[in-house]
Amino acid sequence: LAARFRAPAQLASGAPRRMYSVCVPALRAFLNTVFRLLGDLSVNSCIRIQHLGSRCTGSRGQGRSLTCMVPHVPMVAVLVAWISVGNTPLLDLSALAPDLPKGVRVLGKAEFSNPSGSVKDRIVEYILDEQERIGRLTRFSGQTIVASSSGNTATSLAMFSALRGYRCIAITNRGTSKEKVQQLYAYGAEVVVTASGVPTDSPVHYQNVEKQLVEENPGYFGLNQYDSPLNPEAYYATLGPELWAQTNGKITHLVAAGSTGGTVSGTARFLKKKNQAIQVIMPDPHGSIFYDWWAHRKLVKPTSFEVEGVGKDSIPQALDLSLIDVMPRFSDEQAFATCRTIARRMGMMVGGSAGGNVHAALTLARKLKGPATVVAILCDSGTKYLSKIFNDEWMASKGYDVAAMDASAANRSAQ
């Protein structure tokens, strides 16, 4: 189906040509039906159709034109991208803590299995779908979409832009891992890397660069992930229902750190609508301003921290702190040690934000009485941090005792 096919030039009029003229429309009708079943999609409306004409020789030697319609984009790639966003596995992480009380489980939602390797595929797909529905964006128009991001949202946008025919400008900062930056280039995005650790009102702060580009170029569309209501709405519509269904309504605690706040806010709103007793835990790294604002309504000056994708130097509009019940703090070292333990004991690699979530989930679970089901969001893949979390030299350069971390993981595994 992904191949570009033409009417065979040797087809003559008669049965072979009639068969071809019947089969091509029948194939297209079948594909339209499949796409509608997959999500009310159609080949004509969702993919740019390319008309490929080829000459067929009639019975009297007259040249005739036969046009068949095939996708410009490999259909297999499109199907994979659309089908695999969301519906991610829910994994049992209880073995990481053999001392859990009876009846208490810790589960991990494997968001790293989304196509671009992170939970952010959910909001990018949702926002683009909505903008296409209202006519603000048109697929394969070459329109420019701009996104400021610590890496994952920009990567997802770059991937979807490649699939849907948009131009992507991704703005990140120097604190972003080189793997995530290289992933942006791989998808064909134009990348702007700004200074890290600058004040939020600085013109070179990556969020302000997005705003400036959109203001100066009226045709540009800004994803605006930090303040868009579509961000939490995406998780309300997808991640929340998935967790409820996968746990058969038995989830008691959601653990999700925040940066834009969309994941925790949208998911929490859905789950609390189902069961108001569900507790929402939002771990926050030391150095982020969220905790002081949530606990004391006090804006403090942020300090540096290494974990990417969570914590923030400002309060996004996408974050609804009224839904948060507990906000434990964690250190970079705790998050990274947990990442390395998960890799060595569970055979999967997750990023620092997931490490922070799992660390908080295990700490919480040890204090609970069963039955309880704690779900931690595994935000992205550890392969995005091979040069950092899983690089012994980088870890040592930051003062972390790698030998002690790995020895601890080995000891727990032996238990």
Side-chain angles (χ1 to χ4, degrees):
L1 295 180
R4 297 169 182 265
F5 56 91
R6 292 175 179 268
Q10 68 270 24
L11 281 183
S13 61
R17 185 172 182 275
R18 285 196 299 272
M19 181 179 294
Y20 188 85
S21 65
V22 169
C23 287
V24 169
L27 177 60
R28 291 189 63 254
F30 168 74
L31 292 175
N32 275 320
T33 301
V34 170
F35 272 67
R36 280 195 295 270
L37 290 174
L38 290 174
D40 197 24
L41 305 171
S42 75
V43 173
N44 283 330
S45 64
C46 294
I47 304 176
R48 180 173 69 179
I49 303 300
Q50 191 173 41
H51 299 260
L52 298 177
S54 58
R55 306 292 293 178
C56 296
T57 303
S59 59
R60 297 181 182 178
Q62 298 174 346
R64 299 191 181 190
S65 174
L66 179 62
T67 299
C68 56
M69 303 179 75
V70 301
H72 177 71
V73 178
M75 195 172 299
V76 172
V78 178
L79 281 170
V80 168
W82 281 342
I83 293 172
S84 59
V85 174
N87 294 310
T88 52
L90 191 61
L91 311 175
D92 195 338
L93 306 179
S94 302
L96 292 171
D99 54 343
L100 288 180
K102 185 177 180 180
V104 177
R105 296 188 302 162
V106 176
L107 308 178
K109 183 67 164 156
E111 290 300 291
F112 57 81
S113 64
N114 281 305
S116 77
S118 87
V119 68
K120 296 297 187 174
D121 284 350
R122 293 180 184 269
I123 68 165
V124 172
E125 182 182 52
Y126 193 87
I127 292 174
L128 294 187
D129 283 350
E130 176 61 17
Q131 297 306 313
E132 291 167 355
R133 185 188 69 79
I134 66 176
R136 175 64 179 83
L137 294 174
T138 303
R139 295 191 187 194
F140 301 103
S141 62
Q143 289 171 277
T144 299
I145 307 177
V146 185
S148 55
S149 164
S150 59
N152 283 328
T153 301
T155 299
S156 180
L157 177 61
M159 180 192 73
F160 275 105
S161 294
L163 281 170
R164 300 189 182 190
Y166 297 115
R167 174 193 178 204
C168 171
I169 300 179
I171 306 151
T172 189
N173 61 53
R174 295 192 187 109
T176 301
S177 72
K178 67 180 183 181
E179 289 84 0
K180 287 194 282 188
V181 174
Q182 289 301 317
Q183 198 173 2
L184 292 171
Y185 284 118
Y187 286 127
E190 298 172 37
V191 183
V192 178
V193 181
T194 67
S196 58
V198 298
T200 55
D201 59 356
S202 169
V204 297
H205 189 282
Y206 67 115
Q207 286 181 250
N208 296 332
V209 174
E210 176 187 337
K211 294 176 183 177
Q212 182 180 352
L213 283 173
V214 174
E215 289 172 359
E216 293 177 351
N217 299 274
Y220 287 10
F221 174 75
L223 201 69
N224 190 28
Q225 65 161 329
Y226 293 95
D227 297 326
S228 173
L230 295 177
N231 181 344
E233 192 176 300
Y235 296 106
Y236 180 89
T238 63
L239 186 55
E242 286 177 32
L243 292 178
W244 184 257
Q246 288 175 314
T247 62
N248 295 315
K250 295 180 180 179
I251 179 173
T252 58
H253 298 77
L254 169 69
V255 183
S259 178
T260 69
T263 304
V264 66
S265 299
T267 308
R269 183 158 59 90
F270 178 89
L271 293 176
K272 283 182 175 286
K273 184 178 179 180
K274 287 291 188 179
N275 179 2
Q276 192 63 35
I278 293 175
Q279 292 284 291
V280 177
I281 294 87
M282 180 181 153
D284 195 39
H286 291 291
S288 168
I289 72 169
F290 286 152
Y291 175 80
D292 287 285
W293 181 251
W294 172 79
H296 311 296
R297 278 298 184 269
K298 180 181 178 182
L299 279 176
V300 298
K301 185 177 180 179
T303 57
S304 64
F305 51 93
E306 296 292 343
V307 64
E308 296 181 33
V310 290
K312 199 70 178 70
D313 55 2
S314 61
I315 307 296
Q317 294 181 29
L319 173 61
D320 185 354
L321 288 171
S322 68
L323 297 166
I324 310 304
D325 297 297
V326 183
M327 190 177 290
R329 321 232 23 209
F330 67 90
S331 67
D332 292 327
E333 185 171 7
Q334 289 170 327
F336 297 162
T338 303
C339 291
R340 294 172 71 102
T341 297
I342 292 173
R344 293 184 176 229
R345 296 192 57 202
M346 306 295 291
M348 64 182 176
M349 297 176 67
V350 297
S353 54
N357 285 340
V358 174
H359 169 78
L362 295 174
T363 302
L364 168 72
R366 292 186 176 99
K367 302 174 184 177
L368 298 177
K369 293 182 179 180
T373 299
V374 181
V375 178
I377 305 301
L378 308 180
C379 316
D380 66 358
S381 171
T383 59
K384 295 172 180 277
Y385 308 96
L386 294 175
S387 62
K388 290 189 170 184
I389 301 171
F390 299 99
N391 183 307
D392 289 357
E393 290 183 5
W394 182 87
M395 291 284 285
S397 73
K398 298 296 179 179
Y400 305 129
D401 190 340
V402 176
M405 285 184 186
D406 295 343
S408 176
N411 289 337
R412 287 180 178 272
S413 182
Q415 294 173 5

